[in-house]
Structures are given as C-alpha cells and as structure tokens.
Amino acid sequence: PSVGTWLALAPFPAPVASAIASRPAAKALRWPMRPSVCTWAAGLPPAVQRVRVDAVRRLQGLQEGSVSPDHRAEAERVLTKAFLELGGELSGTYYPLPDSQSFPAVPGGMSQEEARTLKSRSLLFEHSAGDVAGRGVYVCEKEDIAAWINEDDHVRFLVFRTGPGALVALARFQQAVEAALKQDGHALM
C-alpha cells in the first residue's frame, strides 16, 4: 500500500476473521478492511483542518438557478430576517459580501478585514468581484454554524463539527430557520 492509503481492502487472517465473524456488529460490514502498514506511521493528514457538514435548500416560491440581483436581494431579505430572529447558540451576525448595497443594515457590505477573517476560517464562499448583490454569510457566535446566502442556491447551511453531533446541529439549525420563515409565510424546499 502507498503512504496515502488509510484503509486497505484485504482479507483478514483466518483467526482474526473468525473472531470478528462471531460478533453481532460484524454482520454490518460489507467487506473486510484492515489498516494498512503505513496507517500507523502516517498520522493524521495535514490537509484536514476542519470538517464541514452542509445542506443546500431553496426558498419555496422564488425562482431557482441563475437569477437576477433583484431575486437574490429578495431571498437575502427573507432569509436574513429569519436568521436574525434566531437565539441561543444559533444567534449570530449577517455579513453581506464586500461592496454589496442590497442589505440596508450594512451598506457597502462587510469590510475587507472581515472578508479575510471569514475566508481564513472557511466561512466565506468564492464569488466574482462584481456579482455581490444579495449575497452574504450568516455566522453564529461560536463560528461553528453558518449559512451562505445565494452562494449557488438560496441557502447553504454549514456546520463545522465532528461526530454525530454535527448532523444533529445541522438539523436543529435548519428546523429553527424553517420555523422563523414559517412565521412570515415562507418555507424551504
């Protein structure tokens, strides 16, 4: 196996295979796997800095796909109203993209310093310089939960956690936003 191999598909030695087969959890295995020799020497891959779980959703009733700045501004208005109503661990700040004029509370969008900080924390999406209207990032106070507004679809929910708690946090975040949207007569698809 190569140095980059983390799990090598290989049959277990007979004594190990029979010991594993006797355990109830072994029935869930689809094929036998064992760590390669290099797994023990390689350590963790240096490129993995943060684990991200995300979900993409659209607002019901709004045009999808490539839309005009006016449609994006409407999605931004509806979504930011819902995000800014959240409390507890989901309370946070909305940062419109730099030079955006579509969010009245922050004319001109986030500062270049805020953009650099968000980008260094993997919280800012790539965008073209002139196409910023109606786009931005909602970031919770702990910076482990965020949402990209109009990045590609209307909203991408992001959770930066590991383990099963990540999916629970993602579901809780989406449910809280859906409840806030429902109060104003909107819904996510």
Side-chain angles (χ1 to χ4, degrees):
S2 69
V3 174
T5 303
W6 286 91
L7 285 177
L9 296 177
F12 288 108
V16 175
S18 63
I20 291 173
S22 67
R23 295 178 176 239
K27 292 179 177 49
L29 292 175
R30 294 189 180 200
W31 60 77
M33 294 185 290
R34 68 175 181 183
S36 71
V37 174
C38 294
T39 300
W40 309 110
L44 293 175
V48 177
Q49 296 175 358
R50 255 180 121 166
V51 177
R52 179 180 103 186
V53 178
D54 65 18
V56 176
R57 305 287 298 274
R58 289 188 302 269
L59 284 167
Q60 188 173 341
L62 288 183
Q63 183 178 352
E64 55 186 86
S66 180
V67 296
S68 71
D70 290 338
H71 285 105
R72 285 199 315 259
E74 177 62 10
E76 177 186 48
R77 183 191 67 75
V78 169
L79 289 164
T80 54
K81 184 175 185 312
F83 285 125
L84 296 174
E85 290 175 1
L86 300 176
E89 73 167 334
L90 299 177
S91 64
T93 304
Y94 177 65
Y95 299 93
L97 292 184
D99 302 322
S100 174
Q101 299 297 327
S102 60
F103 189 66
V106 186
M110 70 176 90
S111 69
Q112 293 301 324
E113 181 61 32
E114 289 169 325
R116 278 190 295 277
T117 300
L118 291 174
K119 187 172 183 168
S120 73
R121 295 179 181 152
S122 303
L123 294 169
L124 185 59
F125 56 90
E126 296 294 323
H127 60 281
S128 55
D131 196 18
V132 296
R135 295 180 170 179
V137 181
Y138 176 80
V139 181
C140 293
E141 292 172 6
K142 289 184 181 179
E143 295 184 350
D144 62 340
I145 298 175
W148 292 345
I149 296 180
N150 290 317
E151 170 243 359
D152 189 25
D153 280 298
H154 292 145
V155 62
R156 179 181 300 266
F157 295 96
L158 308 160
V159 173
F160 296 92
R161 293 184 186 171
T162 57
L167 294 175
V168 172
L170 181 64
R172 195 174 316 147
F173 187 29
Q174 289 183 80
Q175 290 168 354
V177 172
E178 286 178 18
L181 287 168
K182 191 174 183 177
Q183 290 177 357
D184 293 329
H186 300 284
L188 293 172
M189 300 191 309

